Structures are given as C-alpha cells and as structure tokens.
Amino acid sequence: MKNRTKTAIVTVTAAALLASAAQAAGKLEIFSWWAGDEGPALAALVKLYNAKYPSVTVDNATVTGGAGTNAKAVLKTRMLGGDPPDSFQAHAGQELTGTWVVAGRMEDLSSLYKSEGWASKFPKAVIDLISYKGGIYSVPVNVHRSNVMWYVPATLKKMGVTAPTSWSTFLTTCNKLKAKGMATPLVMGENWTQQMIWESVAVGVLGPKGWNDLWSGKLKFTDPRVVGVFTTYGKVLDCANKDAAGLSWQQATDRVLSGQAAFNIMGDWAAGYLTTTKKLKAGTDFAWSASPSTNGTFIMLADSFGLPKGAKDKTEVMNWLKLLGSKEGQDTFNPLKGSIAARTDSDLSKYSTYSQSAAKDWKSKVIVGSMVHGAAANEAFTSGFGSINDAFVSNRDAKAAAQAAQDLATKSKIGM
Amino acid sequence: MKNTDRLWSKIVLAPSIILLAIFVYGFIARTGYTSLTDWGNDPVQAMSLTPVIKFIGLQNYTDLFTGGLNVRFRQDMISTLFFTVFFIAGCLGLGLTLALMLDRNPRGEGLWRTIFLFPMSLSFIVTGTIWRWMLQPQGGLNQLLHLDPAKSEWLTSRGSILSFDWNKIPLITAAVVAVVLGVVAFQAMRAGQRTRTLVAAGCAALLLVWALFVGPNVKLLPAPELHGFNLAFIGIIIAAVWQMSGYTMALYLAGLRGIPEEIREAARVDGAGEWDTYRHVIFPLLAPITLSAMIVLGHISLKIFDLVFAMTGPDNAATDVPALLMYITSFRQNAFAVGAAIGTVLLLLVAVIIVPYLASQFKTEEAR
C-alpha cells in the first residue's frame, strides 16, 4: 500500500514536471467549432499531432454551436481585438478569403504547398477557391458534398417511382406522389437547408459554368436564366412541407425514414446520421443520388485551417498545417468526421460505403463551391441571401427575388 | 466631520462612476459614432487591420428605413411593436387574474404562489428551449391535443394579419399625434387653460392638415410594402407570457394586500357591490403598479433576443426581432456600422419608454 502511494506520488510529480517542460517547449491553440459528434475526429488529429511533437501543448479552443454561428462571432472579436488564435477553422473559399484574406489578416501558404508538393495532390478547383491574387491561404482538411438527394428505396418502390435525375422529372414525380396521397414529396428544414435546395436548383439549371459566372460577376442575377432558377425553385417548394422553419435537418431526414416524404436534399453529413445514429445500412435501408440535374457536378464545401498574421506560435502552426494536409492526417480525421479527404490519393478502405462513392465522385466530377457553406460567396452575401430566401418562400415573386439578389451582390461586391 | 463624510462618499463612488462612464456611456457614444460611418459596408474593409472608415452621416439610418434591401429590418420594427403590445397585455391580464384569485385566500396559497412565480426563476434560454419542444411540429402540444402538425403551426406559420403599408407610416404617425393633441386640447379647455388649449388645438390642426394634404404624397419606398403581425409570433408570445406573468402576479398581489380592509369596508358601507368596489376603488389604486409593470415588461420585450434565438433560431425572418438582426448584421454579415445603427434605434426605443418614467420618478422624489 505504502509502496503504491509512493509510486503514485512519483508518477504525478513526473507528469507535472513533464507538463511544465512541455509548456516551455511550445504550445498551439486551435480554434474551431468541432464539439459533440465532431469532437472525436478533432481529438484524433490532436493525438496524432502530439505523437509527432510530444513537447507541444495543444490548447483546443472549441466554441460550440452548429455551423460555427457562435464561434465565428467569438473569432471576430478576438481578431479585431488583436488576439488571433494560432490557427482557426474557416470554410474554404470566400468565407476565408472574402473576410480574412482581403483584409490582409492571413499569411500566404504558397511556400508550404510547394515544399509539401500539394499542388498535384489537391484538385485545382479547390486550390483556386482558397487562392487570392496568386497566394494560397489555407489547408483544407475535409470535403463534404452539398448536392445529395436522400431517399428510402422501399418507399419509392411502394409508390412506383424512381429517383428523378432532372428537375423537370422531379416535378412530374412530385405530382405523381401527390396524386398517390403523399402531401409533401420533398421535406426540407430551416432556412439554410432551403437555401441548399436553391443552390442545387441553380447549379442544375445554370450548369457549373453558369454557376461560376454568377460569382465572378459575368452573369447577373437579373438575367432571365437566373429568374428562371427562382421560378423552378418556387415549383420545387410547392412539393415541400410548410412547417419547414421548425425542423432541424435531422428532423427533416426523419420524415424521409418514416415515409411521410420521399426525398430530402442535404449535405453528406446525413450519411453519418443515418448510419451511425440511426444504425441503417447504406444502399439498402437508405440510398442517394446527386440532386436532380447535377449528376456531373460536385458542389463542395470544405473546412480549412490557415495561419493568421500575428499568431504567436508560428512553427507549431506550420507543423499542424503540414499534418492536416498530409495523407495520414486526412485519413485519420475524415472517417471519424464522416467526410472525405480533400486530397485525391486517400486510402479508401478506411471509409464507409457512402464515403467511398463520394470520394470516387470527388475525383471524376466537376467541382464547384457551395454558396450556403461559404465557398462561393462572401459572408455579407450569404447572410443577406437568407433573408431573400425567406421573403421568396413567403411571396414566390421570382423577379423581385432576383432583383434583390442582384442588389445584394452589388453591395457585397460579388465579382469585383 | 461632515466634509470628511462627503469626501469619503465621493472617493467610494468614484470607481463605479468612472467605470460606468467608460463602459456604459463611453460605449454608447462609440456605438452612436460607429453607426454614422460606413464600417463594414465594404466587405474588404470590415476586418482589415487598418480599415478605411468614412463618416457618412445618417445614411445607414436612411437605408434601414427606406432602402430596398432592408425589408427585414422594417418587418422587425413592426413585429417588435406587436410583440410588445400582446406580451404586455398578456402578462398584465394573466397576472391580474392570478393575483385576484390568490387574493381570495384559496387553500394552499403559498404553493400556488410558488408555482406561478416559478417560471420567472428560469432564464429565457431555458424557457425558449422547453417551449420549442412543446410547440414544434412533431412536438408535445400537437401530440397532446391530437392536432394535425401540418395545420397547427405555432412557430412556423407564414401567415400575417393586420397588415398595412410601410409607406403610410408618416401618415399614421401624424394622425395619431394629432388625435392625442386634440384630446389634450379638449381637456385643457375643460380645465379652463386658454393658452394650452390654443397651442394644442393649433398643433393638432396643423398636423391634421399635413396628414390630409401632404402626408398621402410622402413615399418612403417606391413600391407599397406590407408588414403586419406574423402569426408565428403567437408561440413566442405564449412562452414569454408564461415566463413573465408570475412577476406581474406578484406585483399585483402585493398591491392588493397593501389595500387596507377599511377602504373595502367603506365602499361596502357606501353600497358598492363586489364589481363596483373593484372598478371604482381597487383598480385605480393598482394603476401605479400597472405602470411600473408596463415599463419593466416594455423594455424587456424591446430588447428580447435569447427567447427568440432559442425558440426559432437566428435565421427565421418570420419571427425576427431587431436585437437578433443586429447580431446577424454585425457578426455574420460583418456590417458593423449597420449593426450599430440598429442597436442605436433599439436604444432610442427603450429610452422612449424609460426616460419619461425616470423623469416622473425623479420629480416625485424631489417633491418629497
């Protein structure tokens, strides 16, 4: 007994000494909104980092709240107050470049991309998204696809329909289902999930080139083609539930499972919910296809980390970023997070059935950025578009919505 | 002796006065100044290390009240007005009813008092979360009452009643003020105050003339824009009334208990029935309590944020309030100047309620 106490004391003292030694050796603060379900994936990354750099203390500064609503507010006050975290999470694309890079707050990481040979490992479309005036500003860790349509094969079979591949067949399928007594063939949830449907409609109607033109300013929102997007979106909304504002995306997905609705358009985090939480089998209990008219396109969103100017522990951050961009880092993180690796050379045997199919698409389809999730448009636009969507859902005035979107784009300096 | 006491009191008070001056009034001034600039209107400058911030006067305010992209702000102003009216009416009505019931000394009065007062001990975030569960489409209330979730849209309705055109706001304001001035003039006439009568009647006439001939031609916006009471607010009003009616009950109960039995007896001796006693004796004595309850509830409802955030989230325009819009505008859209302008409008609204009250309190205290 006495001996054991002694050992305990010695161990604790040793641990304390080690810890203080680590403090002296260096520390790294990682700012993210990954808690809850996403926490273990981040923890695995931190563990991997600590295995490589045992002397560094990692400070996991997580601010909880879905999609980073709270974290982004905290981050902004910290950055404005001159106390940037060592490395912070931001959606790759305009959310990073349009807010932080244009403001001159981020370090250029081009040299890191060169030394690690990443230019050939990440798809060019992704590197373009995180580049600004010749510099590359962040390292994407994961990729999610936003244009996926989920359904239960048994429900479709019972109703005698197949998953529609274009928006026009979607509308006829919708009418068929309505005639058979399914009041709301499409289920949607709160505002941002509605915007994801708009995004799928827009990419489907305009095509990837038209979509990109929208954000580079070559295509105006007042163009008849874009007004047409709103018109189609309005018709799609007629197939959807009226109580959407009160549903989370999980509750919306549940309605597909219960057979109240046939389809749900949601990002591929739904696959994680269906397999892990609901214990369903991919391919038989639930199935998926690209949202109508977007089969050739992969609407992507990605989480990425960068190096803010004035970060205190630059060496540690560079090591962290190297780890994030490495094959090992991405394949440790993504199977747990339910996303796929941004690199195209990842080890697919580690991933779920759904993710394997998504990873295949990632390599073969045309990649465009998601507006809702901060890749295609800056925060000023994305946030304002939520209000435009809300007005449209109520009044269905396609022309007014297109005009408002154009005014917002001008004000937010889209394509300038 | 007296001088040292004074000195001490000043020394002891100084730190809090300095802190208040900086962290309350200094920041109010700073926010007011920010609202007159264009900080964040250009996304490139919003987060810059060395932002170029220009002074643009009242442009942000003009945009909020008349700009094409700020429909949501105007709906929020109307929403907050309706919310305040229904919330205060609900709390006062329910609180008074509960207090009158408890005043009859029912059995287990203490227990009832605790039960009714209990919701107040919860924060709005907790209340909001509970009521969101109860009112959501598949939630408790619809299941309990076997209601069709597709039809009983407590929080998700997109319907709106009592709609009116935003363009008519100046007209309506002028008409309302004219009517109030007319009443003032009438009262002054009855009291025999000649100058007061003439001034009030003159102002009322001027405003009426304006409302009749100039007002209809004033256009804030190029096209009519309808705003009304969003039905999705009903759920939020239920939750807010549930939370705060215990407070009004406590106030009224204290008031009722403070009325001496002799007064009631005197009324009875004079031949007043039960209802007449309440109408002519007890309710007038409760009037000051109603006023202070209205002040407290009024400023809570104007500033409300957490309850709505918890119940319907920040992205739901049907149940949006100015405080939420301020948060989104500042921290999601990075439009700090516009956010500051919304904040300033809110502050002015609260001041409209609080300042006259404080002034009257101050006067009565000095009179003592």
Side-chain angles (χ1 to χ4, degrees):
Chain A
M1 195 63 195
K2 219 175 181 188
N3 246 343
R4 216 180 274 172
T5 329
K6 219 180 208 175
T7 337
I9 292 172
V10 171
T11 328
V12 168
T13 327
L17 278 174
L18 268 179
S20 58
Q23 214 101 39
K27 70 180 196 44
L28 168 71
E29 189 192 15
I30 305 159
F31 186 94
S32 78
W33 58 82
W34 283 331
D37 291 343
E38 296 162 323
L42 178 63
L45 262 186
V46 170
K47 206 173 143 199
L48 191 66
Y49 182 84
N50 268 338
K52 282 199 173 148
Y53 311 98
S55 62
V56 179
T57 319
V58 177
D59 180 4
N60 181 3
T62 304
V63 178
T64 56
T69 357
N70 307 329
K72 284 178 204 166
V74 174
L75 176 66
K76 279 165 197 173
T77 46
R78 280 190 64 173
M79 292 290 267
L80 286 175
D83 174 32
D86 286 335
S87 186
F88 65 84
Q89 175 189 7
H91 284 132
Q94 279 291 322
E95 188 179 306
L96 178 93
T97 51
T99 303
W100 302 113
V101 178
V102 289
R105 295 260 184 182
M106 305 301 288
E107 300 275 4
D108 184 358
L109 299 173
S110 306
S111 57
L112 181 69
Y113 272 74
K114 203 174 255 171
S115 68
E116 297 290 307
W118 284 344
S120 58
K121 298 289 187 276
F122 292 101
K124 187 178 172 294
V126 174
I127 296 193
D128 285 346
L129 267 181
I130 51 178
S131 300
Y132 179 75
K133 290 190 177 162
I136 310 176
Y137 286 90
S138 73
V139 179
V141 219
N142 64 348
V143 167
H144 276 296
R145 187 178 194 181
S146 89
N147 58 324
V148 191
M149 186 169 72
W150 306 90
Y151 55 89
V152 175
T155 314
L156 296 198
K157 211 175 158 198
K158 201 179 91 197
M159 289 289 185
V161 294
T162 49
T165 50
S166 74
W167 283 112
S168 60
T169 50
F170 177 90
L171 293 173
T172 45
T173 311
C174 159
N175 286 333
K176 256 189 229 164
L177 289 169
K178 274 186 174 172
K180 287 189 179 167
M182 186 184 271
T184 55
L186 176 72
V187 63
M188 59 184 192
E190 52 190 316
N191 195 310
W192 64 269
T193 71
Q194 299 159 19
Q195 292 184 57
M196 282 178 67
I197 298 175
W198 179 84
E199 183 168 277
S200 271
V201 173
V203 174
V205 172
L206 302 173
K209 192 179 169 295
W211 176 253
N212 287 333
D213 284 349
L214 209 51
W215 307 114
S216 62
K218 275 186 222 145
L219 181 64
K220 294 262 177 271
F221 282 84
T222 42
D223 188 280
R225 286 168 67 204
V226 188
V227 178
V229 169
F230 278 101
T231 317
T232 310
Y233 176 53
K235 285 182 194 155
V236 172
L237 288 180
D238 287 336
C239 299
N241 52 323
K242 298 264 180 300
D243 58 354
L247 298 185
S248 67
W249 69 264
Q250 291 97 331
Q251 288 170 322
T253 311
D254 287 344
R255 287 208 185 163
V256 174
L257 300 180
S258 71
Q260 274 174 282
F263 306 109
N264 174 220
I265 290 171
M266 183 39 58
D268 52 13
W269 42 92
Y273 173 68
L274 291 167
T275 48
T276 317
T277 315
K278 292 278 163 181
K279 309 262 181 272
L280 296 174
K281 209 167 149 18
T284 50
D285 293 339
F286 71 92
W288 62 90
S289 61
S291 62
S293 300
T294 63
N295 191 33
T297 321
F298 190 115
I299 307 182
M300 63 85 74
L301 55 131
D303 289 302
S304 74
F305 282 84
L307 172 60
K309 277 186 186 154
K312 284 166 225 92
D313 312 285
K314 218 177 146 187
T315 340
E316 284 76 16
V317 180
M318 288 309 264
N319 289 336
W320 164 251
L321 295 177
K322 258 180 222 164
L323 178 79
L324 288 184
S326 70
K327 191 175 161 185
E328 188 192 6
Q330 304 224 328
D331 282 344
T332 305
F333 178 82
N334 287 302
L336 288 170
K337 168 87 164 68
S339 43
I340 58 169
R343 290 170 70 106
T344 46
D345 60 351
S346 74
D347 178 4
L348 286 183
S349 65
K350 291 183 176 165
Y351 290 81
S352 71
T353 324
Y354 168 78
S355 298
Q356 286 177 5
S357 97
K360 223 178 280 157
D361 288 343
W362 176 240
K363 277 178 232 169
S364 57
K365 311 272 164 164
V366 182
I367 298 170
V368 296
S370 155
M371 180 274 291
V372 186
H373 299 281
N378 59 28
E379 288 181 303
F381 184 89
T382 306
S383 171
F385 192 77
S387 304
I388 293 177
N389 171 68
D390 225 290
F392 181 75
V393 172
S394 291
N395 65 25
R396 301 289 166 85
D397 187 341
K399 268 223 162 100
Q403 183 60 53
Q406 183 54 45
D407 292 347
L408 180 65
T410 313
K411 196 175 156 233
S412 320
K413 304 206 186 274
I414 294 288
M416 276 186 235
Chain B
M1 195 57 196
K2 215 155 188 203
N3 270 338
T4 43
D5 272 0
R6 277 234 170 123
L7 190 66
W8 266 115
S9 68
K10 275 178 190 158
I11 292 173
V12 171
L13 280 176
S16 43
I17 289 176
I18 293 170
L19 289 177
L20 267 182
I22 297 172
F23 289 102
V24 177
Y25 300 101
F27 282 12
I28 289 178
R30 174 77 213 195
T31 307
Y33 175 73
T34 304
S35 74
L36 302 175
T37 67
D38 67 346
W39 188 22
N41 290 5
D42 178 358
V44 177
Q45 297 298 333
M47 288 293 169
S48 173
L49 274 171
T50 49
V52 182
I53 299 175
K54 278 199 296 282
F55 183 85
I56 54 167
L58 293 172
Q59 188 59 44
N60 288 326
Y61 294 93
T62 321
D63 281 351
L64 280 176
F65 285 97
T66 61
L69 280 173
N70 293 299
V71 185
R72 189 161 165 178
F73 171 77
R74 297 190 282 272
Q75 175 60 53
D76 286 0
M77 294 304 288
I78 303 297
S79 293
T80 209
L81 197 77
F82 279 116
F83 177 76
T84 308
V85 169
F86 289 119
F87 169 62
I88 293 182
C91 283
L92 291 181
L94 192 61
L96 184 60
T97 316
L98 292 175
L100 289 174
M101 273 157 52
L102 286 184
D103 192 39
R104 324 217 68 158
N105 301 317
R107 196 192 284 224
E109 190 206 317
L111 179 69
W112 290 118
R113 223 170 30 205
T114 318
I115 289 176
F116 295 144
L117 208 53
F118 174 70
M120 223 186 105
S121 68
L122 301 175
S123 72
F124 268 129
I125 276 287
V126 178
T127 309
T129 311
I130 296 171
W131 278 94
R132 190 187 66 222
W133 291 337
M134 308 254 278
L135 296 177
Q136 69 190 7
Q138 322 268 301
L141 212 59
N142 282 346
Q143 293 200 351
L144 200 72
L145 305 174
H146 297 290
L147 296 172
D148 179 6
K151 289 202 186 96
S152 17
E153 309 164 306
W154 299 100
L155 296 169
T156 53
S157 167
R158 292 198 161 268
S160 167
I161 51 167
L162 302 171
S163 298
F164 60 89
D165 187 358
W166 181 261
N167 275 326
K168 300 227 166 72
I169 288 272
L171 189 64
I172 295 169
T173 321
V176 168
V177 175
V179 168
V180 170
L181 281 173
V183 172
V184 169
F186 182 70
Q187 279 177 342
M189 196 178 75
R190 279 177 68 182
Q193 296 166 307
R194 256 192 88 207
T195 3
R196 230 178 135 195
T197 316
L198 284 177
V199 170
C203 291
L206 267 179
L207 271 172
L208 271 179
V209 167
W210 187 88
L212 281 175
F213 298 104
V214 189
N217 302 323
V218 174
K219 287 265 182 295
L220 293 175
L221 300 160
E225 189 181 286
L226 290 179
H227 296 292
F229 173 63
N230 288 338
L231 294 176
F233 262 107
I234 292 176
I236 293 174
I237 291 172
I238 293 176
V241 169
W242 180 81
Q243 162 103 354
M244 292 308 292
S245 55
Y247 164 74
T248 43
M249 179 208 71
L251 284 183
Y252 277 130
L253 197 59
L256 287 169
R257 292 281 152 85
I259 297 171
E261 196 54 31
E262 294 85 55
I263 292 187
R264 294 182 197 227
E265 267 167 25
R268 265 178 230 133
V269 169
D270 285 346
E274 187 79 350
W275 169 242
D276 285 326
T277 316
Y278 275 114
R279 220 188 115 193
H280 296 293
V281 180
I282 294 179
F283 288 159
L285 285 172
L286 293 179
I289 292 178
T290 309
L291 182 68
S292 25
M294 280 172 76
I295 303 289
V296 172
L297 295 173
H299 89 269
I300 289 179
S301 100
L302 288 175
K303 303 188 298 196
I304 200 146
F305 174 90
D306 33 9
L307 183 74
V308 185
F309 195 105
M311 288 187 79
T312 54
D315 289 317
N316 201 351
T319 55
D320 201 30
V321 288
L324 267 179
L325 187 65
M326 172 177 77
Y327 173 76
I328 294 177
T329 314
S330 311
F331 290 110
R332 217 186 275 174
Q333 221 156 312
N334 306 333
F336 296 109
V338 181
I342 299 173
T344 311
V345 171
L346 262 182
L347 179 75
L348 290 176
L349 277 180
V350 175
V352 163
I353 291 191
I354 299 282
V355 169
Y357 178 72
L358 286 182
S360 76
Q361 291 283 311
F362 203 60
K363 255 188 206 161
T364 42
E365 244 163 58
E366 275 198 341
R368 260 177 213 160

